[in-house]
């Protein structure tokens, strides 16, 4: 599950107005700062979700990262956040006590915690005074948690990390960051990266797109530890499928080249202010139709100066020449603080 914490600090694709750190171009600001009218700064990092946003639609990327337009919480994304929190907390218990009933018993408490840290999710069920829809929704979360026990045995797992925030800064200046659901390390030192998905597994022809996020994480781990993960594992709780992939060095090098090219396109759009919409079937689920030219809308005034290429390349992230792309990197990692995490799963 991608963290959605990047650039001008994504928090669930722009939803929410709490003051969370925004790490951007060497400066630190907050959502509250931006709302108060302080200067908006250009994006300075990529997470898997925001990279996917730009590939899907550059204008969507702008709305989420630069304009930070609000988005309504969705039942699906919120349920994903809840299930992730339950699976993370389950590993606090001794191995023998990691059972399905115990996991389900964690759901009410984690839902209360989520409502406290993200009050906007309460509006999901504002029109449900009797609580019938909420009860069904919580029941769906229970079924997803139960299904996980048919796919993995938590009594035999001792994760090295859970909800691990990772960040690697390439010598090009580009920072890659994200939150990995689980990292398993075998006695032999082999690393497995695991991500939970509460939706259904994609059809085979779309599997490569699904693996993009995992290869992104593998690249960051490689840059951090000089270790290529032995296995990437996607656990689809919605359909009961497990998708695995064993990466090799060439995979990670290709992903790095792709991300550097993507970042160059983002820099150019930031410099020119030209963020073109890219209509697809996914537009029907977009919260920003009122601001999108494809639906007769008008984007808000562009909050950054046009023609700021020099500012982006001097002391900020940029794309280095190809021969510099494989140089060592500066990196940092820490445990993530999961509350408030509302990114798409």
């Amino acid at each position: 599950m991608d963290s959605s914490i990047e650039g001008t600090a994504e928090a669930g694709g722009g939803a929410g107005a709490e003051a969370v750190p925004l790490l951007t171009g060497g400066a630190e600001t907050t959502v509250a700062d931006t709302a108060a009218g302080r200067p908006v700064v250009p994006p300075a990092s990529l997470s898997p979700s925001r990279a996917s946003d730009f590939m899907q639609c550059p204008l969507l990327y702008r709305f989420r990262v630069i304009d930070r337009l609000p988005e309504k919480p969705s039942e699906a994304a919120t349920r994903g956040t809840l299930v992730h929190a339950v699976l993370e907390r389950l590993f606090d218990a001794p191995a023998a006590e990691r059972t399905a009933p115990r996991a389900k018993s964690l759901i009410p408490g984690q839902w209360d915690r989520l409502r406290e840290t993200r009050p906007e999710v309460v509006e999901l069920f504002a029109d449900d005074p009797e609580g019938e829809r909420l009860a069904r929704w919580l029941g769906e979360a229970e079924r997803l948690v139960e299904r996980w026990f048919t796919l993995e045995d938590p009594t035999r797992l001792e994760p090295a990390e859970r909800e691990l925030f990772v960040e690697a800064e390439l010598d090009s200046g580009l920072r890659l960051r994200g939150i990995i659901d689980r990292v398993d390390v075998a006695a032999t030192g082999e690393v497995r990266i695991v991500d939970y998905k509460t939706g259904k597994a994609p059809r085979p022809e779309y599997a490569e797109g699904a693996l993009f996020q995992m290869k992104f994480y593998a690249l960051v781990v490689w840059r951090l530890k000089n270790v290529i993960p032995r296995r990437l594992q996607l656990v689809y709780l919605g359909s009961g499928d497990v998708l695995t992939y064993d990466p090799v060095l060439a995979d990670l090098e290709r992903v790095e080249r792709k991300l550097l090219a993507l970042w160059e396109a983002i820099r150019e759009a930031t410099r020119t202010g030209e963020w073109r919409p890219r209509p697809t079937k996914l537009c029907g689920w977009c919260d920003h139709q009122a601001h999108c030219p494809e639906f007769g809308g008008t984007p808000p005034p562009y909050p950054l100066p046009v023609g700021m290429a020099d500012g982006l390349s001097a002391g900020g992230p940029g794309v280095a020449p190809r021969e510099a792309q494989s140089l060592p990197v500066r990196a940092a990692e820490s445990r993530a603080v999961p509350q408030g995490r509302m990114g798409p799963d």
Side-chain angles (χ1 to χ4, degrees):
M1 181 173 187
D2 188 9
S3 62
S4 296
I5 47 162
E6 107 167 63
T8 52
E10 336 151 33
E18 72 280 19
V20 293
L22 304 185
L23 304 176
T24 49
E28 182 169 309
T29 183
T30 64
V31 177
D33 291 333
T34 303
R38 293 195 173 102
V40 178
V41 290
S45 65
L46 271 180
S47 70
S49 62
R50 297 296 81 89
S52 296
D53 283 347
F54 188 85
M55 289 186 288
Q56 176 187 324
C57 175
L59 186 59
L60 174 64
Y61 176 96
R62 177 200 147 169
F63 287 159
R64 286 179 163 170
V65 176
I66 295 177
D67 298 298
R68 296 194 56 76
L69 297 182
E71 296 182 352
K72 296 178 181 179
S74 73
E75 290 189 15
T78 306
R79 183 170 51 241
T81 301
L82 174 61
V83 170
H84 276 73
V86 168
L87 298 186
E88 182 198 2
R89 293 273 69 85
L90 181 66
F91 284 102
D92 290 341
E97 298 177 19
R98 298 171 195 161
T99 63
R102 182 185 183 94
K104 289 193 294 182
S105 74
L106 295 175
I107 290 177
Q110 290 303 313
W111 173 231
D112 289 342
R113 180 169 173 265
L114 185 56
R115 287 185 296 174
E116 292 174 2
T117 57
R118 299 300 298 256
E120 65 271 20
V121 304
V122 175
E123 67 188 64
L124 284 170
F125 302 102
D127 60 348
D128 182 36
E130 302 299 322
E132 295 178 0
R133 214 157 42 82
L134 173 60
R136 287 196 300 271
W137 183 83
L138 290 171
E140 291 167 358
E142 285 190 359
R143 286 188 286 277
L144 291 171
V145 168
E146 283 184 315
R147 183 170 289 150
W148 178 61
F149 285 84
T150 69
L151 304 174
E152 295 190 288
D153 181 358
T155 66
R156 303 180 64 183
L157 295 171
E158 290 298 339
E161 298 288 351
R162 291 171 277 150
E163 300 292 316
L164 177 68
F165 171 71
V166 290
E167 179 181 81
E169 183 175 326
L170 310 183
D171 275 356
S172 65
L174 172 59
R175 279 183 290 168
L176 307 178
R177 53 171 55 186
I179 295 178
I180 302 174
D181 288 344
R182 198 179 85 218
V183 179
D184 300 331
V185 179
T188 57
E190 293 180 316
V191 174
R192 177 172 64 182
I193 295 176
V194 180
D195 196 73
Y196 309 122
K197 298 294 184 186
T198 50
K200 296 180 179 180
R203 295 198 298 268
E205 59 266 33
Y206 297 114
E208 183 60 33
L211 283 169
F212 170 75
Q213 174 186 357
M214 303 303 284
K215 291 180 181 180
F216 184 109
Y217 290 147
L219 170 62
V220 176
V221 169
W222 173 48
R223 287 304 200 179
L224 283 171
K225 300 293 187 182
N226 199 30
V227 171
I228 298 175
R230 173 67 177 83
R231 174 152 294 179
L232 310 177
Q233 182 166 303
L234 283 161
V235 181
Y236 286 95
L237 305 178
S239 57
D241 295 299
V242 176
L243 177 63
T244 61
Y245 184 81
D246 298 340
V248 296
L249 178 59
D251 290 322
L252 308 189
E253 291 173 335
R254 279 194 296 270
V255 170
E256 184 169 349
R257 289 193 297 269
K258 179 176 183 175
L259 291 172
L260 288 169
L262 184 66
W263 188 246
E264 179 62 26
I266 291 172
R267 291 181 67 246
E268 179 65 11
T270 304
R271 182 185 69 82
T272 63
E274 302 231 356
W275 302 86
R276 299 182 182 278
R278 184 175 297 148
T280 67
K281 294 180 180 179
L282 297 175
C283 291
W285 286 272
C286 183
D287 280 345
H288 307 302
Q289 294 180 10
H291 296 284
C292 179
E294 294 294 322
F295 292 86
T298 302
Y302 190 53
L304 295 172
V306 173
M308 52 190 308
D310 292 341
L312 282 173
S313 59
V319 176
R322 184 172 298 277
E323 61 268 23
Q325 294 178 3
S326 60
L327 294 177
V329 298
R330 297 179 298 279
E333 62 178 327
S334 67
R335 281 298 299 270
V337 180
Q339 59 261 34
R341 230 184 55 146
M342 288 296 296
D345 70 335

